[in-house]
Amino acid sequence: MSHDTTLQHRVTAELIWDPAVTSSEIGVTAKDGVVALSGEVGTYDEKLAAEAAACRVGGVKALVQEIEVVVKPARKRSDEDIAATAIARLAWNVAVPPDRVFVKVSKGTVTLTGEVDHRFEAEVSEREVRQLSGVVAVDNRIAIKPQVDVEAVSDRISEALDRSWLFDPKTVTVTAEGGTVTLGGTVRTMQERREAVGAAWASPGTTAVENHISVV
C-alpha cells in the first residue's frame, strides 16, 4: 500500500472516529502529504471539526478544505434571525467586551468586525456564532488592539513553547517586531504547528502571527 493510500485511510478513520463529524459524505484524497477534504456537511461547526480531525493525523503536511456547508431545511434561518441571535449570544458572554464586536450576515455568512484587547476575545466571539443554525461560514475580522508592552513577546512565547511536552522548542524559532510575531523552523505534525501558533497568540501584546513553520 502506498504512502498516499495509507494517509488517506488514516484521515478517513480519524473522521469516522470523531463524534463531532457525523456526515458520511466527506471525501478524502492524499498526495505527497497534501490532504484534500470534499463533500457536504450540515453545519459550519462540523466543517471545522473535520478540518481539525484531518490535521491531527501524522503525515498531513497541508490541507485543502473543499467541504461545502449545506443547511437542512429544518435548520435554515433568515439572515435577520441569525444576526439577532448572534448579537444576543455575544451580549450574554462575559468574555466578549460590550459594544466592541459588530455583526453582519449575508446569505448565512457571518462577518465579525471591531477591536478587542486580546486574541481570545476574538476567538470566543467566533465560537459563539459558528454553532448557530443557518450559519454556513464565519469571517472573523476582529482586530486586536496593540498593547503597550510588546518588548517581551518573543521571550514569553519561547518560554511557553519550552513548557510544552508536544514538541522540541529548539526546532521552532520566534522573533517579534512590535506586536507581529514570526514563527519559523520545523515540527513533526500539523497539531504541533497549531500549538506553536496558539502559544504565540496567547502572549500579551501579540496583534498578528506570521507562521512559517514547516511540517517535516
Side-chain angles (χ1 to χ4, degrees):
M1 185 179 295
S2 70
H3 176 73
D4 288 341
T5 301
T6 299
L7 183 58
Q8 179 187 23
H9 288 174
R10 292 179 64 191
V11 172
T12 300
E14 187 70 14
L15 293 172
I16 295 172
W17 178 84
D18 193 328
V21 182
T22 60
S23 175
S24 60
E25 300 183 18
I26 298 177
V28 180
T29 61
K31 183 176 177 59
D32 299 329
V34 178
V35 170
L37 302 180
S38 60
E40 297 180 356
V41 295
T43 67
Y44 179 64
D45 210 43
E46 185 174 0
K47 177 179 179 177
L48 296 182
E51 178 179 326
C55 289
R56 288 196 298 265
V57 177
V60 176
K61 297 181 179 180
L63 184 68
V64 178
Q65 174 62 282
E66 297 177 337
I67 294 176
E68 182 180 1
V69 178
V70 179
V71 181
K72 296 180 180 179
R75 290 184 171 271
K76 280 189 176 295
R77 301 291 186 273
S78 69
D79 288 345
E80 291 78 8
D81 286 344
I82 294 173
T85 304
I87 292 170
R89 289 284 291 267
L90 294 174
W92 274 95
N93 195 316
V94 296
V96 180
D99 303 321
R100 302 276 293 278
V101 177
F102 306 96
V103 177
K104 182 178 74 172
V105 184
S106 177
K107 298 181 180 179
T109 296
V110 179
T111 301
L112 300 177
T113 58
E115 187 178 68
V116 295
D117 295 322
H118 301 282
R119 178 65 180 177
F120 82 88
E121 294 170 334
E123 292 174 342
V124 167
S125 299
E126 180 176 338
R127 284 199 298 270
E128 280 291 344
V129 302
R130 77 186 192 197
Q131 295 180 334
L132 299 180
S133 292
V135 172
V136 300
V138 178
D139 184 6
N140 190 348
R141 300 184 183 181
I142 300 173
I144 313 301
K145 185 178 180 180
Q147 303 293 306
V148 175
D149 182 15
V150 296
E151 295 181 359
V153 170
S154 180
D155 290 340
R156 291 191 183 109
I157 295 170
S158 296
E159 290 170 3
L161 295 180
D162 191 51
R163 291 193 297 270
S164 174
W165 58 271
L166 284 172
F167 56 91
D168 184 358
K170 296 182 179 63
T171 67
V172 177
T173 61
V174 182
T175 59
E177 182 176 352
T180 299
V181 177
T182 302
L183 302 177
T186 61
V187 292
R188 294 168 297 183
T189 68
M190 290 284 288
Q191 180 65 20
E192 293 176 353
R193 194 171 187 265
R194 286 171 177 264
E195 289 291 332
V197 173
W201 275 120
S203 178
T206 300
T207 58
V209 175
E210 295 184 2
N211 186 5
H212 302 298
I213 298 174
S214 299
V215 179
V216 297

